[in-house]
Amino acid sequence: MQGQSCNDLHGQVTQDKQAAMDIPKLSKGVLANIKAGTRHLTAEQALFIAGEVGLNQEEVIINLGIEKSKSEEEKSVYESLAKKIKAAGHSAAMLLLAAGLVLGVAQNEPEGSLCTL
């Protein structure tokens, strides 16, 4: 704790205490273990934090799974899921963009000028 003033340390203690009060099923002791790397957030806690700060909840849960993985095989499965979710998100975004472009063109064409099947 060298280089930290008393005010810095007090601020950290206050922030930890507030976090322990705000996050479900989190005590100061559990928070200390999480910060030390000997424990992980639960899925419930991770989802709460994600909701509070606007993170993608699916990505948070996948990343939590990767972090908590006990084997390379388990980690590999989570990483594969993360890639699939990311790819699906990109595909959905492209589909929405294409639909928006088609609708935009259709709205700008004079009535009856578009071909119909």
Side-chain angles (χ1 to χ4, degrees):
M1 301 230 178
Q2 282 183 325
Q4 288 187 315
S5 71
C6 289
N7 286 337
D8 290 342
L9 291 174
H10 175 70
Q12 186 63 46
V13 170
T14 302
Q15 290 174 359
D16 287 355
K17 184 178 179 181
Q18 186 64 46
M21 289 173 30
D22 292 344
I23 299 171
K25 299 178 185 169
L26 184 69
S27 67
K28 289 189 295 182
V30 170
L31 182 57
N33 289 337
I34 291 170
K35 290 172 74 173
T38 59
R39 188 172 177 147
H40 298 282
L41 291 170
T42 65
E44 179 184 11
Q45 292 162 340
L47 288 172
F48 174 82
I49 293 168
E52 289 295 306
V53 298
L55 296 174
N56 179 304
Q57 292 182 325
E58 289 87 2
E59 289 180 16
V60 167
I61 291 298
I62 293 293
N63 286 325
L64 180 63
I66 291 169
E67 186 176 312
K68 292 171 73 171
S69 295
K70 291 182 174 34
S71 70
E72 284 301 315
E73 181 181 17
E74 185 180 351
K75 184 177 179 180
S76 176
V77 169
Y78 276 116
E79 288 172 342
S80 175
L81 285 170
K83 287 178 187 174
K84 289 175 183 176
I85 289 171
K86 194 171 196 172
H90 289 303
S91 296
M94 294 304 290
L95 181 60
L96 289 172
L97 177 62
L101 289 173
V102 168
L103 290 173
V105 168
Q107 289 177 349
N108 292 325
E109 291 294 321
E111 192 172 324
S113 67
L114 291 175
C115 296
T116 57
L117 298 176

